Amino acid sequence: LVTVPAGKTLTVEPGAIVPLADTADLVVSREAAPIARAEKEATRIVFASINAAEGKAGAGGQIRILGGKVEFQNVRLSGTRGVEVTAAAKCALRSVSLEQTTGTALALTECRPIVEGLAICGGDGDGITLVGCSGQFRKVRVLDTQLGIRFDKGATSQSAGQWTDLVVLGAREEGLFL
């Protein structure tokens, strides 16, 4: 477990590859800020399961943001347990891809994210789960997940946010669960 303490900023440089073991979660405390931003796709930041790189079974850790601020741009997560954002003061996810996740790829609870250019491909859980969230969602693709997008307790038509250019394909249960 790696924790970014309150009042600190974790900056991941463009082009970085961050291996995550199955028992290794990156936890960002309240009032902390993880920034993983690459201006160009060629210098994309990658968080990947160390198991996959070693040819072993098992997903890599999860990124858990418990309050504070998060900014991801041109970030790819592969073979991990996804991203959880809870009560974030600021949440901006731009050009982010989550591939072959175990469990929910992106869980958003009580926050107002700005999501643009999100691709979720494959996995054994939900693509996106939202609880009490509103925000702006543009160019979102959810492909081949158990359930595409789940609006859970606390979400209403007013708090579901604004969605533009949404594609959900290949969900094994439901595309949208309201």
Side-chain angles (χ1 to χ4, degrees):
L1 190 65
V2 175
T3 302
V4 180
K8 300 294 181 185
T9 298
L10 169 67
T11 302
V12 182
E13 297 293 328
I17 298 174
V18 181
L20 296 173
D22 60 349
T23 57
D25 286 356
L26 172 60
V27 178
V28 180
S29 303
R30 288 198 178 281
E31 307 304 320
I35 298 172
R37 183 177 54 224
E39 298 298 325
K40 300 176 184 173
E41 190 172 331
T43 58
R44 178 174 288 249
I45 296 164
V46 177
F47 293 88
S49 166
I50 197 168
N51 294 337
E54 295 175 352
K56 298 177 185 175
Q62 181 182 45
I63 297 176
R64 296 173 32 213
I65 295 117
L66 309 175
K69 300 175 184 178
V70 59
E71 184 177 351
F72 285 1
Q73 181 175 330
N74 282 318
V75 172
R76 177 177 167 244
L77 284 89
S78 179
T80 68
R81 287 184 287 121
V83 176
E84 173 189 348
V85 180
T86 303
K90 176 184 178 184
C91 177
L93 307 173
R94 294 181 175 90
S95 298
V96 172
S97 66
L98 299 135
E99 303 164 3
Q100 301 304 319
T101 55
T102 296
T104 300
L106 178 61
L108 300 168
T109 303
E110 301 296 331
C111 58
R112 297 190 58 170
I114 296 173
V115 178
E116 187 167 350
L118 173 67
I120 296 173
C121 302
D124 65 4
D126 295 351
I128 303 171
T129 298
L130 299 106
V131 179
C133 286
S134 65
Q136 297 175 4
F137 299 83
R138 290 185 211 103
K139 297 181 181 177
V140 175
R141 308 286 183 261
V142 181
L143 310 172
D144 301 320
T145 58
Q146 188 66 29
L147 190 144
I149 301 173
R150 176 188 305 266
F151 295 89
D152 237 333
K153 298 177 277 183
T156 66
S157 60
Q158 292 178 332
S159 68
Q162 299 174 354
W163 293 77
T164 307
D165 194 4
L166 168 66
V167 175
V168 179
L169 291 173
R172 291 181 290 281
E173 288 182 16
E174 306 282 338
L176 294 174
F177 184 82
L178 305 172

